[in-house]
Each structure stands twice: as structure tokens, then as C-alpha cells.
């Protein structure tokens, strides 16, 4: 039987920090969860939020210029849109000169020409490429319990990058610089799945967008807007250029449970049975008895479905979607080589984990693999992963310091632990 870790197990803190969430919403977390999460938009003005400097610490216009000019940015980390359509990447990419001849690198002079001509620039995947947003996204993701992604939208004065549309994920919009006019309309399809993008309902979207908006606001620097998936929106920069961040919430849905249940249903022999010889599958009358028997077999199987089996499959979706905190490979390698019993280590921030017996061994599952250890290591593993013990020489359940150092080195090598005080060992 799989061991169930106590609250705070699986690499998640028992009480996640809400500081990042407080920067995005002007109501208490419990009220946000009950009244807005997945339900209705929430506008939060700068004077209702805690940071007097807004969001420039996360990504400023100068930071965006650095990304576009000095970081060797490649597609798909930049998209460009104009007049509601994407600009082909070939119009703003090319080789980077000697030693960097790969042809999909962003060329700053071509970006300048497009931006000066009214195009919107979309910096994508900033939760992986910009340090301040790497940390902020990890903290916010811990608070909402879902994987996140971050894009930045740079729009010239008076321009609109995209026509009215909806997203298939919730978003937090954080206005960094300039002002942008947002028009929000109710969904034409509530709670759309990723396989149900707005393009398949373009006529409904256009017709709804022609009506009176549910929310018509101008976001100024430091303002924030939460939009559940499916809500229609368009945004236009005002008298000056605009920079805003969009934090997308890639939440799993109940349909994900359905998909995993159906995948597990392949274990049921009745559901694997071949249809009768010669049956005409396009004839409703011919297929009706088979459909009835299939529904009955599926109902019987669903009543026997094991939550643990579904959770194991969902782990394969959820854990890889949110990477733990970055580590410093060179510093980590030096630390594990010099490690001694008096050194201190801690769990890698944001790492999801699960410990369970595996015969005479114990299995440590993390986001991308499973690592096994002798069963005698379980008390020490649990003490380290929970953060209860940081000094290597204090690890419980092992006979001597040599064994303790060996275990800690292994966990440093596997990037499960980090040296105490390193960048990878931030708050969870």
C-alpha cells in the first residue's frame, strides 16, 4: 500500500505562502477561492494591492529590451502580432552571426521595425527565462496549487494585438507600464477545455463582443485583473505604449479525471471485447445493444475505480508541468564533493515528492523519475525532505556519519537537495 504523506508532504508546504497571490488579487485568498476562482473576473486596483511600485520588479520595459537585444532570444520565446494575426517568424528572425548561425534567433533591428509599425510583441515562457518571474511564478503556483506560465505583452500606443477571443486557461493580468483598455464579455462556452479554442466559435465570439461588455476598464500601472477561462476579452494600448504580464493557470479539470478513468478502463476485459462479426457500426439500430452493454460494463468498472490509480496517472501530468526551483550545477557539484557531517542541506524549493515502500527498499518519486534507497534510509529521507533536519550529521536511522554523508551526497547529485542558503533552497 502506498504511504500517504502528511500535510506538507509531496514537496508542498502545509501552509503555502500567499504573498505572491496577494500581489494579484485585492481580496483575501478564501474569498477569492469562493467567489472568483473559475467563476467571475476580479479587478484589483494598484492602491488595493500591497506593492507600491507595482510590478516593475518582475519585468520592466528595460528588462524587456534586454531580452530582445542581448539574450540571444529564439523562437518560440517571442511571438509578434499585428491587426489580430500572428506575424510569420521569418520576418523577425535569422542567424546571429559568427558562432551563432542558427536561423531562428530574434533580430533586434527587425523587431524594432515591426514594433514601430504597430505590432505587439509577446515574450513567452518568462517563467523559465527571467529570474524574478521564475521565483514569483513558483510562489504563486504553490499558492493556487496549479502549474503556471508567464507571457509579457508589449503593445505600441493605440494598438491592439489580438481580436476579441477567449483563453482555455485562467489568467492573472498584471499591468506593468502604460495603460491598456480592456473589454470583457461573458463566455460563449463556459469552462472551455484546451481542445475547445475560440477559433471554433468565432461567429459566436464576434456576436457577443458586439454587445455591451460585462467589464469595461482601463488598467493603469500596478493594476491587476483576474479572468477565468472562457471569458471573452480584447485589450488596446492607450496614449502610450503598454507592457503587461499574463500569468496563465494551466489547471487540470474534471475532464482530466474522465480521460484517466477511461485510460484505466482498458484493464476491463468486457470493455476490450470485439464488436460482433459483421455489425454495421453506422447503423443506430445495430449498434444500440452493443452501446447498452458497453455503458453497463463501463458503469460497473467505474464503481470499482481506485482513487490511488487515478492519482498516480494525474501525477504524471501535474508534476512535470511545474518545475522546481533552479539549481546551480557547478556550485552543487562542488558542494557534494566537499560535503561533511557538519554541513547543512535542505529540500529543493518547489520539488514535489512521494515516499513509498518498494519491497525492502523505499522509493522516492519526484517530478521526472523514481529513485530507490535501502529501506533503512526512510527516516532520514523523510527528515530531509520535510526540512525537519538540515545538518547532515543529525540524520536519524543511520548508523554512522559516513552513511549520512553518502545519502546526502546522493540526494544532492539527484538534485533533490541543495546546500543550505543556495538559490535553489528558497521558501516554498
Amino acid at each position: 500500500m502506498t504511504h500517504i504523506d502528511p500535510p506538507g508532504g509531496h514537496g508542498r508546504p502545509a501552509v503555502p505562502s500567499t504573498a505572491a497571490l496577494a500581489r494579484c488579487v485585492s481580496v483575501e485568498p478564501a474569498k477569492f477561492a469562493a467567489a472568483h476562482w473559475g467563476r467571475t473576473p476580479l479587478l484589483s486596483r494598484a492602491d488595493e494591492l500591497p506593492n507600491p511600485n507595482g510590478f516593475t520588479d518582475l519585468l520592466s520595459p528595460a528588462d524587456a529590451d534586454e531580452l530582445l537585444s542581448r539574450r540571444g532570444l529564439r523562437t518560440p520565446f517571442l511571438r509578434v502580432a499585428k491587426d489580430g494575426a500572428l506575424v510569420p517568424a521569418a520576418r523577425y528572425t535569422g542567424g546571429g552571426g559568427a558562432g551563432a548561425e542558427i536561423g531562428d534567433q530574434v533580430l533586434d533591428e527587425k523587431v524594432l521595425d515591426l514594433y514601430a509599425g504597430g505590432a505587439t510583441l509577446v515574450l513567452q515562457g518568462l517563467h523559465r527565462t527571467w529570474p524574478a518571474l521564475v521565483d514569483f511564478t513558483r510562489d504563486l503556483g504553490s499558492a493556487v496549487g496549479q502549474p503556471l506560465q508567464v507571457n509579457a505583452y508589449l503593445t505600441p500606443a493605440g494598438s491592439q494585438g489580438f481580436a476579441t477571443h477567449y483563453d482555455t486557461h485562467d489568467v492573472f493580468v498584471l499591468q506593468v507600464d502604460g495603460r491598456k483598455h480592456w473589454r470583457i464579455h461573458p463566455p460563449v462556452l463556459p469552462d472551455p477545455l484546451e481542445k475547445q479554442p475560440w477559433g471554433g466559435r468565432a461567429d459566436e465570439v464576434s456576436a457577443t463582443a458586439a454587445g455591451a461588455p460585462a467589464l469595461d476598464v482601463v488598467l493603469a500601472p500596478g493594476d491587476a485583473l483576474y479572468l477565468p477561462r472562457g471569458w471573452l476579452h480584447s485589450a488596446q494600448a492607450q496614449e502610450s505604449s503598454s507592457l503587461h504580464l499574463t500569468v496563465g493557470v494551466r489547471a487540470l479539470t474534471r475532464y482530466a479525471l474522465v480521460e484517466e478513468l477511461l485510460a484505466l478502463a482498458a484493464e476491463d476485459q468486457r470493455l476490450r471485447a470485439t464488436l460482433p462479426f459483421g455489425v454495421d457500426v453506422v447503423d443506430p439500430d445495430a449498434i444500440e445493444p452493443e452501446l447498452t452493454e458497453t455503458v453497463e460494463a463501463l458503469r460497473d468498472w467505474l464503481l470499482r475505480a481506485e482513487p490511488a490509480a487515478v492519482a498516480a496517472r494525474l501525477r504524471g501530468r501535474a508534476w512535470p508541468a511545474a518545475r522546481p526551483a533552479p539549481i546551480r550545477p557547478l556550485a552543487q557539484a562542488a558542494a557534494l564533493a566537499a560535503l561533511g557531517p557538519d554541513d547543512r542541506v535542505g529540500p529543493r524549493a518547489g520539488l514535489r515528492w512521494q515516499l513509498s515502500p518498494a519491497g525492502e527498499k523505499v522509493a522516492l518519486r519526484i517530478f521526472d523519475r523514481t529513485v530507490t534507497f535501502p529501506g533503512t534510509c526512510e527516516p532520514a529521507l523523510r527528515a530531509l525532505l520535510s526540512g525537519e533536519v538540515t545538518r547532515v550529521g543529525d540524520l536519524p536511522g543511520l548508523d554512522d556519519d559516513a552513511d549520512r554523508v553518502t545519502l546526502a551526497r546522493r540526494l544532492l547529485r539527484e538534485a533533490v537537495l541543495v546546500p543550505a542558503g543556495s538559490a535553489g533552497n528558497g521558501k516554498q
Side-chain angles (χ1 to χ4, degrees):
M1 177 179 294
T2 299
H3 176 85
I4 303 299
D5 292 292
H10 305 286
R12 293 184 63 186
V15 183
S17 169
T18 59
L21 180 61
R23 295 192 64 177
C24 303
V25 298
S26 56
V27 298
E28 292 298 320
K31 183 175 181 181
F32 173 72
H36 298 283
W37 177 251
R39 296 172 180 267
T40 59
L42 174 64
L43 172 65
S44 301
R45 292 299 188 184
D47 59 5
E48 301 174 301
L49 297 173
N51 195 327
N53 298 318
F55 303 108
T56 54
D57 61 312
L58 300 180
L59 183 82
S60 68
D63 295 334
D65 254 346
E66 180 177 333
L67 277 166
L68 291 166
S69 60
R70 293 180 176 272
R71 294 297 184 102
L73 205 65
R74 300 174 61 187
T75 56
F77 289 101
L78 176 70
R79 287 188 303 162
V80 179
K82 188 175 182 183
D83 300 325
L86 290 176
V87 175
R91 290 187 55 189
Y92 55 87
T93 59
E101 292 87 354
I102 297 171
D104 66 346
Q105 295 182 81
V106 171
L107 302 180
D108 41 15
E109 64 273 9
K110 293 189 176 183
V111 170
L112 166 63
D113 183 59
L114 288 166
Y115 183 72
T120 289
L121 311 180
V122 186
L123 291 165
Q124 300 194 134
L126 292 170
H127 59 292
R128 294 284 295 133
T129 60
W130 193 252
L133 285 169
V134 171
D135 296 337
F136 174 79
T137 306
R138 186 179 68 251
D139 289 350
L140 183 58
S142 176
V144 301
Q146 304 290 347
L148 308 178
Q149 64 182 51
V150 182
N151 296 341
Y153 293 77
L154 299 107
T155 308
S159 295
Q160 177 176 320
F162 296 93
T164 301
H165 64 284
Y166 65 75
D167 295 319
T168 57
H169 51 268
D170 295 17
V171 298
F172 294 97
V173 177
L174 311 178
Q175 187 69 27
V176 177
D177 187 63
R179 289 157 36 93
K180 207 161 195 182
H181 184 192
W182 287 75
R183 295 177 179 86
I184 313 297
H185 293 81
V188 298
L189 177 68
D191 299 326
L193 302 172
E194 288 194 8
K195 62 176 68 176
Q196 297 171 314
W198 75 275
R201 291 172 169 78
D203 291 343
E204 294 176 78
V205 169
S206 297
T208 302
L215 193 61
D216 192 328
V217 297
V218 174
L219 294 188
D223 292 344
L225 175 67
Y226 165 73
L227 288 179
R229 59 193 166 108
W231 281 75
L232 309 185
H233 56 275
S234 64
Q236 185 172 25
Q238 298 299 284
E239 65 280 355
S240 63
S241 59
S242 165
L243 166 60
H244 78 262
L245 299 170
T246 293
V247 182
V249 185
R250 305 300 294 268
L252 291 177
T253 66
R254 284 184 176 174
Y255 192 74
L257 299 180
V258 172
E259 291 176 323
E260 300 304 345
L261 284 167
L262 289 178
L264 289 168
E267 299 173 4
D268 191 299
Q269 184 176 353
R270 291 174 65 188
L271 293 169
R272 299 197 309 268
T274 305
L275 293 175
F277 180 82
V279 66
D280 184 355
V281 295
V282 301
D283 181 354
D285 292 333
I287 207 70
E288 191 277 333
E290 291 303 317
L291 181 60
T292 299
E293 186 170 344
T294 300
V295 169
E296 180 182 343
L298 180 59
R299 183 187 299 115
D300 291 344
W301 185 87
L302 289 173
L303 292 173
R304 303 192 307 272
E306 290 288 340
V310 178
R313 292 188 63 89
L314 289 173
R315 181 177 63 234
R317 287 194 187 199
W319 284 14
R323 286 187 58 84
I327 59 168
R328 300 177 183 272
L330 303 185
Q332 187 101 341
L336 72 90
L339 192 72
D342 289 328
D343 291 315
R344 295 184 180 274
V345 292
R348 184 179 178 184
L351 182 72
R352 303 295 301 274
W353 56 269
Q354 183 182 56
L355 277 177
S356 58
E360 296 183 355
K361 297 181 178 294
V362 60
L364 171 62
R365 293 185 179 88
I366 53 179
F367 70 102
D368 61 346
R369 62 195 182 279
T370 298
V371 188
T372 58
F373 299 87
T376 53
C377 291
E378 181 173 355
L381 285 167
R382 204 168 291 283
L384 285 167
L385 291 165
S386 66
E388 294 174 2
V389 174
T390 59
R391 182 179 176 274
V392 173
D394 293 336
L395 292 177
L398 299 176
D399 292 336
D400 53 44
D401 281 347
D403 290 341
R404 297 182 183 101
V405 169
T406 297
L407 175 62
R409 280 180 176 162
R410 173 81 185 280
L411 292 169
L412 285 168
R413 180 69 176 268
E414 297 285 354
V416 171
L417 298 181
V418 293
S422 75
N425 192 26
K427 63 181 179 179
Q428 290 195 33

